[in-house]
Amino acid sequence: MTPRRRKKIPVLLPGDKIPSIKGTLGPGVTRREDGKNVSVFVGQLLVQEKGKQRVIQVAPLKTAYIPMPGDIVVGKIIEVGVTSWSVDINSPYTAILPLSEVFSKPTEITRINLSKSLKVGDVIIAKVVAFDLTRDPVLTIKESKLGKVPRGTYLELTPLEAYVFYRRIGEEKFVETVKQKYGCELFVGKNFRIILIGESLEAERNAMHEIISTIRKYVKV
Amino acid sequence: MKMKSDQAIKLLNDEGLRLDGRRLDELRPLKIEVGVLKNADGSAYIEHGKNKIIVAVYGPREVHPKHLTLPDRAIVRVRYHMAPFSVPERKSPAPSRREIELSKVIREALEPAILVEKFPRTAIDVFIEVLQADGGTRCASITAAAVALADAGIPMKDLVAAVAVGKINGKIALDLNHLEDQYGEGDMPVAMMPGLKTITLLQADGIFSKEEFKQALDLAISGIQVIYRKQREALKKKYEKMIRTVTGGGS
């Protein structure tokens, strides 16, 4: 998205009334006991048209990552179990990567050593297949473009930086720019983590530099 | 219980001013800063008169020990602690009976504002460190903790603001300091969610008549409105400065 007009969007605080716009309430907004629709975060108002529906939400400037089925995330293996791996996905909930979501063929668990395929410290690009807050999220790496990242540059954004990167800069645009300019593949996880895979470390570094400096234009540290 | 031998101590002068020169309905100077700690998810520093308190919030995060986990909501844990150097006589750093109780009342004052059901099986930890104490630290702690929680990105219905009121030389006064608390006839800390008009903490020590109680509560509510404004200013200041918005909404 190109910066067209300079317009200040006010920062909403917890308990601030949402201006009365017709539409359904999305995340970040709650109807309180006193009947008012209020923001629950420090964030900015976001009105999205989804088909015929209009969704009113508050985009938090800071928040914990809560997995959603279908999200592409960047994870780190933290534990190798008997039939599954535990994966840190930068969230209050540790994700599970079961054996069946790694190998397509049926495998004999007595014959196989899990740490041969993925060991502690490995970085993976994975997709959340299921999560409903009652049990830990389940990941898969069986689709194309998913799986272990053999090498690359890894960056973890703060929630505010991520907010700016997703909402204000537009990640799709950036993926293209980085590909053309530096020949790097950019993976953007929904969990505030970014991976760059290029031909050389230098290309990756230059691309990362551009990403960071672009974010810095919007966010002061 | 308040001491009976307080007749000798004059907490109000002939012009009706208090020991530190304040009027009866005047707050002490208040300063709130947001995001003072790098490692914490959210933090705040408050100077309320001579009180200096730092608050760090971590979470939502995994619960350790695991058996404390609740299946339908997050648990909120609060640790109120006074530094050994926070009072004139060295305080033992071990948690005292008073600190354990204050941790509990502060937790119960904050919990109604937090949407704990958004994060089942997690913990939200609030660490309150009193660096310098001069009466009314529980109220200042609640005020700062609410700001730190908002800074940590924890969903809340409203901020929580708190102030103490009390009775000195027979008159109702706002925001007692240490001397007034010690030698006055009563004190009453009040915390509330100003937007929701809901009281989340109300304690009282000493004797208040029905009229005095009403007057004290009204005074506390008016004081809380001022504190609430300061909390909002502090949060806005940090975030509006940090984010330079260029374009209108979009995804």
Side-chain angles (χ1 to χ4, degrees):
Chain A
M1 190 187 253
T2 45
R4 258 170 285 138
R5 59 210 160 100
R6 280 184 182 271
K7 188 182 150 203
K8 232 182 166 182
I9 305 175
V11 171
L12 292 170
L13 302 178
D16 276 2
K17 241 182 104 187
I18 300 293
S20 48
I21 311 168
K22 267 191 187 163
T24 48
L25 299 180
V29 186
T30 193
R31 177 170 279 271
R32 223 162 48 174
E33 296 94 306
D34 56 358
K36 285 177 186 158
N37 295 328
V38 296
S39 164
V40 299
F41 292 118
V42 178
Q44 291 182 321
L45 190 70
L46 192 71
V47 182
Q48 273 181 318
E49 308 281 345
K50 277 185 187 161
K52 275 183 190 167
Q53 269 204 329
R54 183 186 276 166
V55 183
I56 301 150
Q57 60 187 72
V58 173
L61 295 180
K62 215 170 178 185
T63 184
Y65 169 66
I66 299 301
M68 289 275 279
D71 280 1
I72 303 288
V73 295
V74 175
K76 251 192 246 171
I77 307 283
I78 51 169
E79 203 183 312
V80 183
V82 183
T83 58
S84 67
W85 288 266
S86 294
V87 188
D88 161 37
I89 52 165
N90 199 18
S91 159
Y93 304 100
T94 307
I96 304 289
L97 178 65
L99 193 66
S100 57
E101 296 293 350
V102 177
F103 304 109
S104 37
K105 288 181 277 183
T107 35
E108 186 86 42
I109 53 162
T110 49
R111 295 271 228 63
I112 188 166
N113 187 353
L114 259 62
S115 52
K116 275 211 173 116
S117 40
L118 287 169
K119 56 181 188 299
V120 172
D122 280 353
V123 172
I124 57 166
I125 295 170
K127 189 169 152 187
V128 181
V129 278
F131 183 58
D132 63 356
L133 293 165
T134 58
R135 253 177 259 169
D136 283 337
V138 179
L139 302 178
T140 184
I141 55 169
K142 271 207 294 201
E143 285 170 37
S144 69
K145 286 202 169 176
L146 303 181
K148 184 178 162 183
V149 182
R151 55 162 300 278
T153 308
Y154 165 98
L155 180 71
E156 198 170 300
L157 302 173
T158 65
L160 184 64
E161 288 168 341
Y163 167 79
V164 164
F165 189 68
Y166 298 148
R167 297 262 176 235
R168 297 271 167 260
I169 300 171
E171 47 181 280
E172 294 91 350
K173 189 192 103 187
F174 231 93
V175 172
E176 272 308 302
T177 323
V178 166
K179 205 175 206 172
Q180 283 167 9
K181 229 168 151 182
Y182 303 98
C184 288
E185 201 78 54
L186 172 65
F187 286 98
V188 183
K190 277 267 191 286
N191 57 343
F192 317 149
R193 285 175 178 168
I194 288 174
I195 286 217
L196 270 167
I197 304 163
E199 272 143 35
S200 66
L201 196 61
E202 208 179 333
E204 284 170 9
R205 242 181 231 161
N206 291 337
M208 198 58 89
H209 199 82
E210 177 156 350
I211 293 171
I212 293 168
S213 58
T214 313
I215 292 172
R216 285 282 171 275
K217 276 186 207 158
Y218 294 80
V219 187
K220 274 188 244 168
V221 188
Chain B
M1 274 300 287
K2 293 287 157 183
M3 282 183 289
K4 268 279 160 225
S5 62
D6 52 15
Q7 273 86 354
I9 289 133
K10 219 176 144 197
L11 293 166
L12 284 171
N13 70 8
D14 300 334
E15 290 152 50
L17 294 177
R18 298 201 247 168
L19 292 174
D20 49 8
R22 281 186 290 154
R23 281 175 279 109
L24 282 169
D25 60 349
E26 205 174 328
L27 283 167
R28 285 175 282 179
L30 184 64
K31 193 180 104 183
I32 304 173
E33 263 177 68
V34 186
V36 289
L37 301 172
K38 267 261 147 71
N39 286 352
D41 294 319
S43 59
Y45 171 70
I46 190 169
E47 278 182 29
H48 189 147
K50 283 183 195 153
N51 289 314
K52 294 185 178 185
I53 300 166
I54 202 157
V55 180
V57 172
Y58 287 84
R61 61 179 179 183
E62 270 183 75
V63 189
H64 287 292
K66 273 251 158 72
H67 70 268
L68 295 174
T69 314
L70 295 179
D72 59 335
R73 46 165 288 193
I75 57 166
V76 179
R77 292 184 290 201
V78 173
R79 189 186 96 128
Y80 167 95
H81 182 248
M82 285 174 95
F85 52 81
S86 61
V87 277
E89 193 87 28
R90 180 183 183 271
K91 194 212 142 280
S92 158
S96 64
R97 190 193 141 89
R98 177 180 168 275
E99 284 169 292
I100 294 165
E101 183 189 319
L102 283 193
S103 301
K104 175 186 174 283
V105 300
I106 292 169
R107 188 187 74 230
E108 287 173 354
L110 294 170
E111 238 174 351
I114 304 171
L115 298 171
V116 281
E117 63 283 357
K118 293 265 180 200
F119 303 104
R121 301 184 295 124
T122 63
I124 297 163
D125 291 320
V126 181
F127 297 97
I128 300 165
E129 201 63 35
V130 179
L131 305 177
Q132 186 171 282
D134 186 41
T137 53
R138 82 190 65 187
C139 293
S141 299
I142 291 168
T143 303
V147 172
L149 282 165
D151 182 43
I154 287 162
M156 293 197 289
K157 282 183 222 165
D158 199 359
L159 298 173
V160 187
V163 78
V165 278
K167 196 157 76 164
I168 49 172
N169 294 162
K171 295 237 168 71
I172 299 296
L174 180 64
D175 194 11
L176 302 190
N177 65 23
H178 178 65
L179 280 175
E180 293 167 335
D181 184 26
Q182 194 110 70
Y183 300 105
E185 291 106 87
D187 87 306
M188 186 168 100
V190 182
M192 70 184 285
M193 295 187 266
L196 254 172
K197 298 190 178 69
T198 306
I199 290 172
T200 62
L201 168 85
L202 197 145
Q203 298 180 296
D205 183 11
I207 297 163
F208 290 88
S209 73
K210 204 171 162 188
E211 282 67 42
E212 280 171 340
F213 174 78
K214 271 188 191 154
Q215 196 196 338
L217 193 60
D218 285 341
L219 192 59
I221 291 170
S222 69
I224 282 171
Q225 298 298 339
V226 178
I227 294 170
Y228 184 55
R229 246 173 277 143
K230 289 263 185 187
Q231 286 177 309
R232 294 175 48 87
E233 265 170 39
L235 278 168
K236 286 219 163 176
K237 197 178 146 204
K238 179 191 170 189
Y239 281 98
E240 279 177 352
K241 213 172 164 189
M242 271 176 100
I243 185 151
R244 273 184 279 167
T245 318
V246 179
T247 52
S251 55

